[in-house]
Amino acid sequence: MKIIIQLLIVSISISFFSQKICAQKLAAIPYVSGINSPIDLKNCGDDRLFVADRAGRIRVINGDGTLRPVPFLNITTKISSNNSEEGFLGIAFSPDYKTSGKFYVDYTSIIAGKLTSVIEEYKVSAADSNVADPASALKIITQVQPFSNHNGGNLMFGKDGFLYINFGDGGSGGDPFGNGQNKKTLLGKILRVDVSNSSASQPYVVPSSNPFYSDTTSGIKKEIWIYGVRNPFRCSVDRLTGDLLIADVGQNKVEEIDFQNANDAGGKNYGWNIVEGDSCYNPASGCNKKGITMPIYEYFHNGGSAAIIGGYVYRSAQSKSLWGQYLFTDEVLKFLDAFHLENGMVSGSVNHLITAAQAKGNPVSFGEDKYGDQYIIFYGNGTVYKLQDTSYLRRPKAYVTSNNLGAGSFLLQALEGKNLTYQWLKDNMPVPGAVSSMYTTSVLGSYTLEVTNSLGFKDTSDAFLLGTSIDLISFAAQKNSGSTIVLNWQTGSELNISGFTIQRRKNNETVFSDIGFVSSKAMNGFSNTMLSYNFIDSSALNYSKLFYRLQILHADSSFNYSDTRYLNIEVQTNGFLLFPNPASHIINIYLNQVTDPVFVKLYDLTGKEFLSQILDQQNCILKLPFSKGIYIIQISDLKGKNPVRKKLLVD
């Protein structure tokens, strides 16, 4: 990692009674010792942690914080060196590690006399879950490094299940070969590959959704996800949102943090070596920044030593005040800062949580356990430290996710955490026996979760409303050629809707009567796709005026109504009815006869046209995009012949 200038670290004073984050007490608490030069720390989805050292050993930390004496993996004979920025650099466990047993390492080695970055797959031993199988080694990607520095080394899996691989620009200083902007090399990039079906003949495939997958440029590397980075040594994926946070080590004056939304299509250019941060680098002034995505945060050191180390967005239930903050540090300047993110931007001020004087050495990496608690490791310090909110007023974080199980049933799930207790509430009343982190229910109501920590402090989640909902896209009534009335309607989504009672009112009646029922087509009471319904009324031909509506029945026997549709059965050539009149936002138009589509046009009294639309059914609704006044509505055939006009008052 390139080292750069000294930053002024602002000490913070702790207000004893303040609940604000500026008064946050964050401490690095010793967790386990006995590791030689730790370099990376990851979890595999259970209570264990795996800590790698620069020489090429991975050790297992048990869930109780004890270190297993036998290494999980020892590849020291493959490592080129553990000096400078070479050696073992990163580790990542497959999202399906529990079943596949696959994990991935990044290290430098000498291959055919050249310094080479190696991304390699291993599998856990079938006989012992605390030991890997060294014979399972499968090379995924190798990349020759022109210099010994800027090797990247970060590995991570996205929420999409793909492996993201970070490569620096190849070293030296200033990116002398222009690798950052050259899409024909892997250097200066973050790659995205699919290793789910890895084999010796095909260790990975390039996802078809990669941004340059269909690019026919000769020599382009389709593995590229983003480009224009210098040395993204430590990056992370927000475990809740899937957003990507990229801490990119700078050259002479700027350390930067870049952001990519989880739904981004990739292909962004973060600017190196045209820019360093958002400042011109090559050339030093007047550079072309078009098409470059600028950092969301940067700090300056102007020629001294610095190297940003990215952490994780804090997602542990242990601290509500730390929740949602992105933690980062600096290998040289040693401070630990954090900020909140909102819509991919820094929200509020940066929080200085640990000063350089409080650091335990030169920080090199963060780690995250299965619960979202964060850890930090330092060069030359054989201890793993746990980052804890040590405020005596600390509150837990109650956060609930839901999973639709079908048949109107939902699994509500809390963030798990050690030394926390749970109580589920329905309509603000405790549910007897519902005291675990998960709760399944199909009973309609408003559900919240109360979490209590070991200090007795509580937090209550946002409400999850298990109720009914429907998106009624359309509802139309029309006389057909068979002298019957056809009702058609569509829904865009349904939740706990049991069906539709069709109601009708005739001539001058004032009360609707039930004439039929149509059951919901939503499988197990839930649908988020379009569903179409119809009902035929063949008993209304002796009446001149008909009114229809849908009574929408909910699973709990409650109901609501659709808008009313009106039909005039009397045959009138080229006639139409308009209601309500006066109108405010919408109008209903009923065509007495429609065998072919017609034009509806709307004019003001000066003849200015405001609306032109084709109608192809007897009953429809039009929105009124105009202000108060008197307007003329005209119906004609598609050639503008046989026009019929009526006045419309908009109030």
Side-chain angles (χ1 to χ4, degrees):
M1 291 171 288
K2 180 66 180 177
I3 310 299
I4 338 191
I5 231 171
Q6 194 72 15
L7 180 75
L8 176 62
I9 306 299
V10 181
S11 298
I12 58 172
S13 60
I14 306 298
S15 174
F16 196 64
F17 296 101
S18 177
Q19 292 279 351
K20 295 181 179 179
I21 190 60
C22 62
Q24 182 67 49
K25 288 185 177 180
L26 183 70
I29 308 297
Y31 185 68
V32 65
S33 298
I35 302 101
N36 182 28
S37 297
I39 189 68
D40 199 12
L41 182 71
K42 295 288 174 65
N43 78 84
C44 70
D46 60 28
D47 284 339
R48 296 174 296 172
L49 288 170
F50 294 76
V51 58
D53 65 36
R54 297 187 67 194
R57 288 176 292 266
I58 301 174
R59 305 282 297 277
V60 177
I61 304 173
N62 296 316
D64 61 1
T66 57
L67 184 68
R68 297 187 69 86
V70 177
F72 178 68
L73 180 68
N74 186 340
I75 56 171
T76 53
T77 58
K78 294 185 176 183
I79 303 300
S80 61
S81 168
N82 61 2
N83 297 320
S84 183
E85 297 176 29
E86 299 178 37
F88 193 103
L89 298 173
I91 180 174
F93 289 85
S94 174
D96 65 350
Y97 178 78
K98 185 176 181 180
T99 55
S100 71
K102 297 197 298 186
F103 65 97
Y104 299 82
V105 298
D106 186 324
Y107 62 89
T108 59
S109 186
I110 301 297
I111 299 177
K114 295 182 179 180
L115 180 66
T116 304
S117 284
V118 179
I119 314 301
E120 205 163 46
E121 176 189 285
Y122 286 88
K123 292 183 179 179
V124 68
S125 168
D128 188 345
S129 63
N130 289 304
V131 177
D133 178 7
S136 65
L138 173 65
K139 283 187 173 57
I140 303 297
I141 289 178
T142 60
Q143 170 62 50
V144 173
Q145 296 287 353
F147 301 97
S148 63
N149 57 344
H150 303 183
N151 298 313
N154 192 80
L155 298 176
M156 56 194 169
F157 279 89
K159 295 200 82 172
D160 52 19
F162 297 132
L163 177 63
Y164 290 72
I165 302 168
N166 294 21
F167 277 129
D169 64 8
S172 186
D175 191 11
F177 301 127
N179 291 326
Q181 295 298 311
N182 180 8
K183 293 193 284 292
K184 296 182 179 181
T185 176
L186 301 180
L187 297 174
K189 315 294 188 300
I190 293 181
L191 316 181
R192 178 183 185 248
V193 296
D194 183 355
V195 291
S196 58
N197 295 304
S198 55
S199 65
S201 60
Q202 190 174 34
Y204 70 90
V205 296
V206 176
S208 60
S209 53
N210 269 20
F212 306 112
Y213 180 83
S214 300
D215 195 317
T216 58
T217 303
S218 177
I220 195 168
K221 299 297 184 182
K222 299 184 178 184
E223 297 90 342
I224 296 171
W225 180 247
I226 62 105
Y227 66 104
V229 292
R230 182 179 177 275
N231 192 21
F233 177 64
R234 287 292 176 254
C235 305
S236 66
V237 174
D238 185 336
R239 64 193 292 159
L240 182 64
T241 66
D243 296 333
L244 176 60
L245 281 301
I246 306 164
D248 197 7
V249 180
Q251 180 66 42
N252 292 323
K253 63 179 181 179
V254 185
E255 304 298 302
E256 70 180 84
I257 297 170
D258 300 308
F259 176 86
Q260 186 186 65
N261 186 279
N263 298 318
D264 196 280
K268 278 186 166 58
N269 178 10
Y270 289 94
W272 177 252
N273 67 351
I274 299 171
V275 293
E276 180 187 6
D278 66 357
S279 303
C280 288
Y281 181 83
N282 183 23
S285 62
C287 61
N288 183 4
K289 298 182 180 181
K290 184 178 180 179
I292 294 175
T293 299
M294 294 301 170
I296 61 170
Y297 180 74
E298 61 183 15
Y299 58 91
F300 293 81
H301 43 83
N302 296 323
S305 297
I308 191 169
I309 304 293
Y312 297 82
V313 178
Y314 191 88
R315 297 300 185 189
S316 169
Q318 298 293 343
S319 176
K320 186 170 185 176
S321 58
L322 282 174
W323 172 265
Q325 292 198 75
Y326 173 68
L327 276 61
F328 63 98
T329 184
D330 191 289
E331 188 267 331
V332 180
L333 304 177
K334 302 180 184 179
F335 65 83
L336 194 159
D337 286 357
F339 54 71
H340 280 283
L341 283 168
E342 186 173 327
N343 298 321
M345 302 296 291
V346 177
S347 176
S349 60
V350 174
N351 305 305
H352 308 294
L353 300 179
I354 293 179
T355 67
Q358 297 168 325
K360 310 299 181 181
N362 298 91
V364 66
S365 190
F366 290 83
E368 189 181 42
D369 65 20
K370 66 170 289 190
Y371 302 107
D373 291 314
Q374 291 194 35
Y375 302 76
I376 192 168
I377 52 181
F378 301 86
Y379 276 136
N381 185 333
T383 298
V384 173
Y385 293 85
K386 188 172 185 177
L387 295 172
Q388 291 186 357
D389 177 356
T390 56
S391 169
Y392 81 102
L393 292 173
R394 67 181 178 274
R395 295 171 61 194
K397 172 66 178 181
Y399 186 87
V400 176
T401 58
S402 63
N403 183 25
N404 191 312
L405 302 178
S409 181
F410 283 81
L411 171 65
L412 305 181
Q413 192 164 1
L415 291 171
E416 288 188 81
K418 295 181 179 180
N419 302 314
L420 298 176
T421 59
Y422 307 91
Q423 175 63 64
W424 293 93
L425 300 95
K426 176 182 177 292
D427 300 328
N428 297 319
M429 296 297 294
V431 179
V435 292
S436 71
S437 60
M438 294 185 291
Y439 180 62
T440 301
T441 183
S442 58
V443 180
L444 305 188
S446 178
Y447 290 88
T448 52
L449 173 69
E450 185 179 79
V451 177
T452 306
N453 64 13
S454 58
L455 298 178
F457 291 108
K458 302 177 185 293
D459 185 45
T460 302
S461 71
D462 293 336
F464 172 79
L465 181 63
L466 179 54
T468 59
S469 65
I470 186 169
D471 177 18
L472 186 62
I473 297 175
S474 65
F475 174 41
Q478 185 167 343
K479 179 183 176 182
N480 67 10
S481 57
S483 299
T484 58
I485 306 301
V486 178
L487 306 181
N488 294 286
W489 64 98
Q490 291 181 319
T491 63
S493 63
E494 295 181 30
L495 174 62
N496 291 326
I497 302 299
S498 59
F500 307 85
T501 298
I502 294 85
Q503 298 186 333
R504 183 186 66 197
R505 182 163 60 88
K506 308 184 298 289
N507 290 344
N508 296 319
E509 291 178 346
T510 59
V511 178
F512 280 91
S513 300
D514 298 346
I515 61 170
F517 179 78
V518 176
S519 297
S520 169
K521 296 181 180 180
M523 187 69 68
N524 296 321
F526 174 76
S527 170
N528 59 3
T529 59
M530 183 179 294
L531 298 175
S532 298
Y533 299 88
N534 69 80
F535 178 83
I536 297 176
D537 180 12
S538 57
S539 61
L541 299 182
N542 296 325
Y543 307 100
S544 60
K545 297 179 181 179
L546 295 171
F547 302 84
Y548 293 93
R549 71 181 182 187
L550 300 176
Q551 185 186 59
I552 304 168
L553 299 180
H554 307 157
D556 62 354
S557 298
S558 63
F559 56 85
N560 64 303
Y561 293 104
S562 70
D563 292 334
T564 299
R565 297 295 179 258
Y566 168 71
L567 290 177
N568 190 331
I569 304 302
E570 295 176 350
V571 176
Q572 299 176 22
T573 303
N574 293 333
F576 70 94
L577 297 176
L578 189 66
F579 61 94
N581 192 2
S584 56
H585 303 294
I586 61 171
I587 56 169
N588 286 265
I589 295 180
Y590 173 74
L591 304 175
N592 292 321
Q593 283 187 326
V594 55
T595 56
D596 296 302
V598 298
F599 259 136
V600 58
K601 293 179 180 289
L602 185 139
Y603 304 91
D604 66 10
L605 294 180
T606 68
K608 180 180 179 181
E609 183 178 304
F610 281 85
L611 181 149
S612 179
Q613 186 172 325
I614 295 176
L615 303 183
D616 59 2
Q617 60 184 22
Q618 280 182 285
N619 193 59
C620 63
I621 294 177
L622 296 180
K623 292 183 179 179
L624 301 177
F626 41 81
S627 56
K628 296 180 180 180
I630 298 175
Y631 297 85
I632 303 297
I633 285 192
Q634 174 182 293
I635 300 292
S636 68
D637 63 23
L638 296 184
K639 295 182 179 181
K641 296 181 179 180
N642 303 316
V644 179
R645 299 181 181 89
K646 291 181 183 291
K647 287 185 179 180
L648 170 67
L649 175 63
V650 177
D651 59 10

Coordinates of all heavy atoms in Angstrom, one line a residue, residues 362-392:
N362 N -0.7 -0.5 14.3 CA -1.0 -0.1 12.9 C -2.1 -1.0 12.4 O -1.9 -2.2 12.1 CB 0.2 -0.2 12.0 CG 1.3 0.8 12.4 OD1 2.2 0.4 13.2 ND2 1.3 2.0 12.0
P363 N -3.4 -0.5 12.3 CA -4.5 -1.3 11.9 C -4.4 -1.8 10.5 O -4.0 -1.0 9.6 CB -5.7 -0.4 12.1 CG -5.2 1.0 12.0 CD -3.8 0.9 12.6
V364 N -4.7 -3.1 10.2 CA -4.5 -3.6 8.9 C -5.8 -4.2 8.3 O -6.0 -4.3 7.1 CB -3.4 -4.7 8.8 CG1 -3.8 -5.9 9.7 CG2 -3.1 -5.1 7.4
S365 N -6.8 -4.6 9.2 CA -8.0 -5.1 8.7 C -9.1 -5.1 9.8 O -8.8 -5.2 11.0 CB -7.8 -6.5 8.2 OG -9.0 -7.0 7.5
F366 N -10.3 -5.1 9.4 CA -11.5 -5.3 10.2 C -12.0 -6.7 10.0 O -11.6 -7.4 9.0 CB -12.6 -4.3 9.9 CG -12.4 -2.9 10.3 CD1 -11.6 -2.1 9.4 CD2 -12.9 -2.4 11.5 CE1 -11.4 -0.8 9.8 CE2 -12.7 -1.1 11.8 CZ -11.9 -0.2 11.0
G367 N -12.8 -7.2 10.9 CA -13.5 -8.5 10.7 C -14.9 -8.3 11.2 O -15.3 -7.4 11.9
E368 N -15.8 -9.3 10.8 CA -17.2 -9.2 11.1 C -17.6 -10.6 11.4 O -17.4 -11.6 10.7 CB -18.0 -8.6 10.0 CG -19.4 -8.3 10.3 CD -20.2 -7.8 9.0 OE1 -19.9 -8.3 7.9 OE2 -21.0 -6.8 9.2
D369 N -18.3 -10.9 12.6 CA -18.8 -12.2 12.9 C -20.2 -12.4 12.4 O -20.8 -11.5 11.8 CB -18.6 -12.5 14.4 CG -19.5 -11.7 15.3 OD1 -20.5 -11.1 14.8 OD2 -19.2 -11.6 16.5
K370 N -20.8 -13.6 12.6 CA -22.1 -13.9 12.1 C -23.2 -13.0 12.7 O -24.3 -12.8 12.1 CB -22.5 -15.3 12.4 CG -22.7 -15.6 13.9 CD -23.3 -17.0 14.1 CE -24.7 -17.1 13.7 NZ -25.3 -18.4 14.2
Y371 N -22.9 -12.3 13.8 CA -23.9 -11.4 14.4 C -23.8 -10.0 14.0 O -24.6 -9.1 14.4 CB -23.8 -11.5 16.0 CG -24.0 -12.9 16.5 CD1 -22.9 -13.6 17.0 CD2 -25.2 -13.5 16.5 CE1 -23.0 -14.9 17.5 CE2 -25.4 -14.8 17.1 CZ -24.2 -15.5 17.5 OH -24.4 -16.8 18.0
G372 N -22.7 -9.7 13.2 CA -22.5 -8.3 12.8 C -21.6 -7.5 13.7 O -21.3 -6.3 13.5
D373 N -21.1 -8.1 14.8 CA -20.1 -7.5 15.6 C -18.8 -7.4 14.9 O -18.4 -8.3 14.1 CB -19.9 -8.3 16.9 CG -21.1 -8.3 17.8 OD1 -21.7 -7.2 18.0 OD2 -21.5 -9.3 18.4
Q374 N -18.1 -6.3 15.1 CA -16.9 -6.0 14.4 C -15.6 -6.2 15.2 O -15.6 -6.0 16.4 CB -16.9 -4.6 13.7 CG -17.9 -4.5 12.6 CD -17.8 -3.3 11.7 OE1 -16.6 -2.8 11.5 NE2 -18.9 -2.8 11.3
Y375 N -14.5 -6.5 14.5 CA -13.2 -6.8 15.2 C -12.2 -6.0 14.4 O -12.4 -5.6 13.2 CB -12.9 -8.3 15.2 CG -13.9 -9.1 15.9 CD1 -15.1 -9.4 15.3 CD2 -13.7 -9.6 17.1 CE1 -16.1 -10.2 15.9 CE2 -14.6 -10.4 17.8 CZ -15.9 -10.7 17.2 OH -16.8 -11.4 17.8
I376 N -11.0 -5.8 15.0 CA -9.9 -5.1 14.3 C -8.6 -5.8 14.7 O -8.4 -6.3 15.8 CB -9.9 -3.6 14.7 CG1 -9.0 -2.9 13.8 CG2 -9.6 -3.4 16.1 CD1 -9.1 -1.4 13.9
I377 N -7.7 -5.9 13.7 CA -6.4 -6.5 13.9 C -5.3 -5.5 13.4 O -5.6 -4.6 12.6 CB -6.2 -7.8 13.1 CG1 -6.6 -7.7 11.7 CG2 -7.0 -8.9 13.8 CD1 -6.4 -9.0 10.9
F378 N -4.1 -5.6 14.0 CA -3.0 -4.6 13.8 C -1.7 -5.4 13.4 O -1.5 -6.5 13.8 CB -2.7 -3.9 15.1 CG -3.9 -3.1 15.6 CD1 -4.8 -3.7 16.4 CD2 -4.1 -1.8 15.3 CE1 -5.9 -3.1 17.0 CE2 -5.2 -1.1 15.8 CZ -6.1 -1.7 16.6
Y379 N -0.9 -4.7 12.5 CA 0.4 -5.2 12.2 C 1.2 -5.3 13.5 O 1.2 -4.4 14.4 CB 1.2 -4.2 11.3 CG 0.9 -4.4 9.8 CD1 0.7 -3.2 9.0 CD2 0.8 -5.6 9.2 CE1 0.4 -3.3 7.7 CE2 0.6 -5.7 7.9 CZ 0.4 -4.6 7.1 OH 0.1 -4.7 5.8
G380 N 2.0 -6.4 13.6 CA 2.9 -6.5 14.7 C 2.2 -6.7 16.1 O 2.9 -6.6 17.1
N381 N 0.9 -7.0 16.1 CA 0.2 -7.2 17.3 C -0.6 -8.5 17.1 O -1.4 -8.6 16.3 CB -0.7 -6.0 17.6 CG -1.4 -6.2 18.9 OD1 -1.7 -7.3 19.4 ND2 -1.8 -5.0 19.5
G382 N -0.2 -9.5 17.9 CA -0.8 -10.8 17.8 C -2.2 -11.0 18.4 O -2.7 -12.2 18.5
T383 N -2.9 -9.9 18.7 CA -4.2 -10.0 19.4 C -5.3 -9.5 18.4 O -5.1 -8.5 17.7 CB -4.2 -9.1 20.7 OG1 -3.2 -9.6 21.6 CG2 -5.6 -9.2 21.3
V384 N -6.4 -10.3 18.4 CA -7.6 -9.8 17.8 C -8.4 -9.0 18.8 O -8.6 -9.5 19.9 CB -8.4 -11.0 17.2 CG1 -9.8 -10.5 16.7 CG2 -7.6 -11.7 16.1
Y385 N -8.9 -7.9 18.4 CA -9.6 -7.0 19.3 C -11.1 -6.9 18.8 O -11.4 -6.8 17.6 CB -9.0 -5.6 19.4 CG -7.7 -5.5 20.0 CD1 -6.5 -5.8 19.2 CD2 -7.5 -5.2 21.4 CE1 -5.3 -5.8 19.8 CE2 -6.3 -5.2 21.9 CZ -5.2 -5.4 21.2 OH -3.9 -5.4 21.7
K386 N -12.0 -7.0 19.8 CA -13.4 -6.8 19.5 C -13.8 -5.3 19.7 O -13.5 -4.7 20.7 CB -14.3 -7.7 20.3 CG -15.8 -7.7 19.9 CD -16.5 -8.8 20.7 CE -18.0 -8.9 20.2 NZ -18.7 -10.0 20.9
L387 N -14.5 -4.7 18.7 CA -14.9 -3.3 18.9 C -16.3 -3.3 19.6 O -17.3 -3.9 19.1 CB -15.0 -2.7 17.5 CG -13.7 -2.5 16.8 CD1 -13.9 -2.0 15.3 CD2 -12.7 -1.6 17.5
Q388 N -16.3 -2.7 20.7 CA -17.6 -2.7 21.5 C -18.0 -1.3 21.9 O -17.1 -0.4 22.2 CB -17.4 -3.5 22.8 CG -17.2 -5.0 22.5 CD -17.2 -5.8 23.8 OE1 -17.2 -5.2 24.9 NE2 -17.1 -7.1 23.7
D389 N -19.3 -1.0 21.9 CA -19.8 0.2 22.5 C -19.8 0.0 24.0 O -20.5 -0.9 24.6 CB -21.3 0.3 22.0 CG -22.0 1.5 22.6 OD1 -21.4 2.2 23.5 OD2 -23.1 1.8 22.2
T390 N -19.0 0.8 24.7 CA -18.8 0.6 26.1 C -19.6 1.6 27.0 O -19.4 1.7 28.2 CB -17.3 0.6 26.5 OG1 -16.7 1.9 26.0 CG2 -16.5 -0.5 25.9
S391 N -20.4 2.4 26.3 CA -21.2 3.3 27.0 C -22.2 2.6 28.0 O -22.8 1.6 27.7 CB -22.1 4.2 26.1 OG -23.0 4.9 26.8
Y392 N -22.2 3.1 29.2 CA -23.1 2.5 30.2 C -24.6 2.7 29.9 O -25.5 2.1 30.4 CB -22.8 3.0 31.6 CG -23.4 4.3 32.0 CD1 -24.6 4.4 32.8 CD2 -22.9 5.5 31.5 CE1 -25.2 5.6 33.1 CE2 -23.5 6.7 31.8 CZ -24.6 6.8 32.6 OH -25.2 8.0 33.0

